[in-house]
Amino acid sequence: GAGVSQSPRYKVAKRGQDVALRCDPISGHVSLFWYQQALGQGPEFLTYFQNEAQLDKSGLPSDRFFAERPEGSVSTLKIQRTQQEDSAVYLCASSLNPGGEQYFGPGTRLTVT
Amino acid sequence: DQQVKQNSPSLSVQEGRISILNCDYTNSMFDYFLWYKKYPAEGPTFLISISSIKDKNEDGRFTVFLNKSAKHLSLHIVPSQPGDSAVYFCAASPEGSYKLIFGSGTRLLVRP
């Protein structure tokens, strides 16, 4: 398992539920990114961590979205009170160093009904 | 406001021919450009990149061209192979930032 892994791969949530999406980056990678990909669109940046520090959260669409990486490895993206417009694939990427090549996980497909 | 645009949603080429995928951008602060390839149910994988100080970068069958004055880049695949069939995303990174700004993708089909 040398790549970025994400879980769950698929998640169905009823509108108003909270969800938590997990990302396991490549071991030793300093940088971690979250992106949101709506159907038919390219990935859109959500937030960036360097180790445990969240250095950029400019892409988070609302205060319902929260991300953490407390020990500088695994990261969790939490969405509170999910809405239908939150339905998308959530991609995690990691890179060895800031500015390095970003390796993407397979994504979590979130469907809010 | 799309800063990175891929105006062709799809492209179909014959095996062995050249595939040319195009990308336009609006932000002159972008200093690094990348192409990613994506198969269904997988995350994007890095293909090739180019710094804003260069106008061409080549890696095997893949070449990326950058025209800064026109704010345009293109990916050439020669010769195209059926295994190249995938969605290709153009991405750019703003100066001083590590985040990637993606286009909406072009679906390439290489016909045997």
Side-chain angles (χ1 to χ4, degrees):
Chain A
V4 178
S5 60
Q6 293 185 243
S7 60
R9 291 292 312 274
Y10 302 91
K11 176 70 179 176
V12 178
K14 289 192 189 326
R15 193 165 63 91
Q17 281 185 332
D18 298 349
V19 298
L21 312 179
R22 177 187 169 108
C23 172
D24 285 79
I26 294 172
S27 179
H29 277 200
V30 165
S31 298
L32 186 145
F33 303 80
W34 283 98
Y35 293 85
Q36 178 191 58
Q37 185 177 15
L39 191 64
Q41 300 298 315
E44 287 196 16
F45 170 79
L46 293 177
T47 188
Y48 163 63
F49 289 86
Q50 187 171 314
N51 295 308
E52 69 279 2
Q54 190 174 19
L55 298 185
D56 187 346
K57 51 182 181 179
S58 61
L60 296 176
S62 77
D63 58 8
R64 296 186 297 104
F65 286 71
F66 172 77
E68 60 183 4
R69 194 186 185 199
E71 296 178 0
S73 56
V74 171
S75 177
T76 304
L77 176 67
K78 297 179 179 177
I79 310 172
Q80 296 177 322
R81 305 181 303 281
T82 52
Q83 304 292 317
Q84 279 195 313
E85 62 262 28
D86 300 336
S87 296
V89 174
Y90 290 84
L91 293 162
C92 175
S94 70
S95 65
L96 181 60
N97 296 305
E101 179 184 334
Q102 294 185 27
Y103 294 85
F104 282 81
T108 294
R109 180 177 295 278
L110 172 66
T111 303
V112 181
T113 61
Chain B
D1 177 27
Q2 267 195 303
Q3 299 185 65
V4 178
K5 298 179 186 180
Q6 293 178 259
N7 292 318
S8 297
S10 63
L11 175 67
S12 179
V13 300
Q14 193 73 37
E15 180 178 6
R17 299 290 189 100
I18 184 171
S19 295
I20 300 176
L21 296 98
N22 293 303
C23 178
D24 297 294
Y25 62 95
T26 57
N27 190 341
S28 57
M29 296 302 290
F30 289 147
D31 65 351
Y32 198 62
F33 302 88
L34 311 90
W35 284 94
Y36 277 80
K37 175 179 177 179
K38 186 180 183 306
Y39 292 117
E42 295 182 11
T45 55
F46 170 77
L47 198 55
I48 192 169
S49 63
I50 188 166
S51 164
S52 61
I53 63 173
K54 297 191 172 184
D55 54 18
K56 177 182 174 181
N57 188 28
E58 193 172 349
D59 183 3
R61 296 186 297 115
F62 303 91
T63 303
V64 55
F65 295 92
L66 175 62
N67 182 335
K68 286 192 293 293
S69 61
K71 293 191 175 67
H72 177 84
L73 68 156
S74 61
L75 173 69
H76 291 210
I77 307 173
V78 181
S80 302
Q81 299 173 355
D84 296 329
S85 297
V87 177
Y88 289 78
F89 290 100
C90 168
S93 186
E95 188 178 343
S97 172
Y98 305 121
K99 67 183 177 186
L100 298 177
I101 312 295
F102 284 85
S104 55
T106 297
R107 183 177 300 277
L108 173 66
L109 174 65
V110 180
R111 306 185 308 275

